[in-house]
Amino acid sequence: MLFFRHALEGRGIRTPEDFLPHYRGAAERLGLENVDPAPKTIEGWIYEGRKPQRAFRPAIVEMLGYCIDDLWTEVPEGSTPNFVPLTGASPTALRADAGVELNEMKRTGAMAVQRAKDFLLDKDRQMVGDDTLGLLDDEVARLVAVYPREPLSAIWDDLLETQDQVFRLLDGHRVRPSQLRDLNFKAAVLSFLVAKGFNDMEVPQHAMTMTRVAASCAKDAEHPGLIALTDGLKSLIAYWADRPGDAYHYASQGAEAAAGLRGTVGLWLLGLQARAAAILGDEETVRAANQKAADRRERVLPDDLDQLGGLFTYAPEKQLYYSVEAEALLGHGDERLAAQAEQAVQGFSDPRSPNWAFGDLAGSQCDLALIRLFGGDVDGAAEAIRPVLDLPVTHRNNGIVVSALRVRQALMSSSARTALVGQDLRAEIEAFPASRPALPRG
């Protein structure tokens, strides 16, 4: 059950009719007008767990006294949540001189910042100003940085809203040529992230459509690196959708386009090519692509995409992870490869690292489990995948679930399938995707 519903029921609120008077009182206290949600909308919040649109959130927070992220957190049945309320949290809570709690000041301040952002974007409706571009620069940089580090549900609304803001600027404003290229670059980056989000939610059709939008914006921005990057994303989508032939085609196409680039995008495309070739059983291509990527690593000159970071750079630890995964997909499991797989996991062991990503960590842990399993070490495989199976549902995206199911598939064809450890592990993996993916609701 969501904490939102738990908090409502604790106040005797169970229907839209019960909800509306309390909501209107909160909206009135905040001075909000014309923000009444429809009964069907309230039903979606209460019974289906849909997260409210941004316009409704301030009144809900005011009404229940908890932040939206806490309210839209699952709590086990029968448990007592221990979220700290935004007001009246404790007699010892930090307070401002006027007696207003610090958390309340932060909440109202955040609302003021959002209003100010909306004002600035609307103010430049005739001609895009430098302040507007700077605001969007900050937001794009933030979203790129947090995407690999936080569950999609935490950033999805902000990502869609920022993409919409950029699209509206491109569609309805007069912009200078230099601004047009910059806005198209931002649109391509944001569309890339939205496409990746749809892939994480296992909606490959939407993911591919949004990738084509990203590719179009990248072409309008005249940015060869971004254009090649969108070929890589098409390959990634096909890879996780179990279409290795398509994945190999798109990766090869992108690798050819990126052959003259000095940033890491070309290396990523070679890594994608190797992984797709591995599923196709083409061991010679796997080795050739990985060796070519290793040779090019020594000549890399970081470009603007690498400076952007996140999904737009291909760090050495990620290159090792991809290389190990290709070998695991070929069914290899010797000691040398096991050591490399352990090194790949170690590369993502520190969340403070700028290149840390929870998805890459989980993927490398699944690869280590596969390789240990192929080497006959079922106990070691169970130990390697344990952190993945313990991930909260908010982090179980499509790629992580598919990676875990690969371990189950390998276990089914292993002699260890009849061992007690193997049977328990298989049962756990089978249950792993049952509640997935805990991503944006509705």
Side-chain angles (χ1 to χ4, degrees):
M1 177 189 293
L2 285 177
F3 180 50
F4 171 70
R5 186 166 179 177
H6 178 94
L8 290 179
E9 292 181 355
R11 293 162 171 78
I13 301 171
R14 290 180 170 80
T15 67
E17 291 73 21
D18 296 334
F19 181 95
L20 265 176
H22 297 275
Y23 178 90
R24 286 169 177 159
E28 185 177 349
R29 289 193 297 275
L30 294 175
L32 302 176
E33 297 179 358
N34 301 321
V35 290
D36 269 11
K40 286 288 186 184
T41 300
I42 301 172
E43 287 178 2
W45 299 343
I46 299 175
Y47 305 124
E48 299 174 28
R50 294 178 185 167
K51 203 168 186 178
Q53 294 178 332
R54 192 171 297 277
F56 301 116
R57 295 180 188 180
I60 293 174
V61 170
E62 171 69 19
M63 171 182 164
L64 297 176
Y66 293 88
C67 72
I68 286 293
D69 286 340
D70 285 349
L71 288 169
W72 260 261
T73 297
E74 294 279 353
V75 295
E77 292 288 344
S79 66
T80 302
N82 59 354
F83 298 118
V84 178
L86 294 177
T87 59
S90 145
T92 59
L94 289 175
R95 295 177 179 273
D97 291 341
V100 180
E101 290 196 9
L102 184 58
N103 282 334
E104 178 69 7
M105 293 172 63
K106 289 180 179 179
R107 183 183 68 82
T108 55
M111 292 170 59
V113 168
Q114 184 59 48
R115 287 196 299 269
K117 288 169 65 177
D118 293 341
F119 166 76
L120 183 57
L121 288 165
D122 186 61
K123 178 173 176 284
D124 288 341
R125 61 187 179 275
Q126 295 302 321
M127 181 67 73
V128 178
D130 291 338
D131 289 333
T132 294
L133 292 177
L135 184 153
L136 291 171
D137 280 337
D138 293 343
E139 190 64 4
V140 169
R142 182 185 74 83
L143 291 167
V144 168
V146 301
Y147 190 101
R149 311 179 73 88
E150 296 185 11
L152 183 58
S153 56
I155 64 169
W156 186 243
D157 288 347
D158 288 346
L159 180 54
L160 295 182
E161 182 177 329
T162 306
Q163 183 197 39
D164 181 63
Q165 289 169 343
V166 173
F167 282 166
R168 281 191 283 113
L169 289 174
L170 282 168
D171 189 48
H173 294 71
R174 293 181 296 169
V175 294
R176 295 188 291 273
S178 60
Q179 293 176 326
L180 186 61
R181 181 175 295 181
D182 184 36
L183 283 169
N184 274 299
F185 177 87
K186 291 178 174 62
V189 168
L190 292 165
S191 298
F192 184 102
L193 293 177
V194 173
K196 179 62 166 59
F198 279 122
N199 183 69
D200 288 346
M201 289 188 282
E202 199 182 2
V203 192
Q205 300 90 345
H206 288 353
M208 193 64 78
T209 297
M210 194 59 73
T211 304
R212 297 189 190 285
V213 173
S216 175
C217 294
K219 290 172 184 174
D220 288 342
E222 300 178 351
H223 197 292
L226 261 180
I227 295 170
L229 208 69
T230 58
D231 281 327
L233 187 54
K234 291 175 187 176
S235 175
L236 190 77
I237 294 164
Y239 175 77
W240 291 118
D242 197 23
R243 300 199 311 269
D246 289 349
Y248 182 80
H249 165 73
Y250 288 125
S252 300
Q253 179 176 284
E256 183 177 350
L261 302 178
R262 299 298 300 274
T264 63
V265 60
L267 279 66
W268 181 50
L269 286 153
L270 289 169
L272 290 165
Q273 190 179 44
R275 291 202 311 186
I279 297 180
L280 295 169
D282 186 352
E283 191 160 344
E284 182 179 351
T285 297
V286 170
R287 299 283 156 70
N290 281 336
Q291 185 59 54
K292 190 173 183 179
D295 294 341
R296 286 182 60 175
R297 171 64 65 179
E298 300 176 1
R299 303 192 299 274
V300 162
L301 289 177
D303 58 15
D304 55 344
L305 294 175
D306 292 308
Q307 295 298 325
L308 196 58
L311 301 180
F312 298 88
T313 189
Y314 189 58
E317 48 266 57
K318 190 162 186 173
Q319 184 172 349
L320 176 61
Y321 155 47
Y322 270 47
S323 175
V324 166
E325 181 152 297
E327 295 291 337
L329 292 170
L330 289 169
H332 298 153
D334 55 51
E335 291 185 7
R336 178 192 62 82
L337 185 57
Q340 288 182 335
E342 291 170 3
Q343 185 182 350
V345 172
Q346 185 63 30
F348 294 108
S349 63
D350 186 359
R352 296 168 298 181
S353 168
N355 296 319
W356 184 84
F358 72 84
D360 293 340
L361 173 59
S364 61
Q365 289 165 332
C366 289
D367 291 340
L368 177 59
L370 271 178
I371 290 163
R372 285 178 174 175
L373 197 57
F374 292 146
D377 183 6
V378 64
D379 290 315
E383 178 187 8
I385 201 174
R386 167 55 45 205
V388 179
L389 299 179
D390 289 341
L391 281 172
V393 290
T394 51
H395 291 66
R396 298 179 190 181
N397 63 32
N398 180 41
I400 292 175
V401 170
V402 171
S403 296
L405 291 177
R406 283 179 181 156
V407 178
R408 175 188 174 277
Q409 183 179 3
L411 190 60
M412 292 289 289
S413 59
S414 166
S415 59
R417 66 184 181 279
T418 57
L420 183 60
V421 173
Q423 291 175 352
D424 290 345
L425 182 58
R426 185 181 67 196
E428 275 202 85
I429 298 175
E430 286 172 353
F432 180 69
S435 58
R436 74 93 189 259
L439 293 165
R441 292 176 175 270

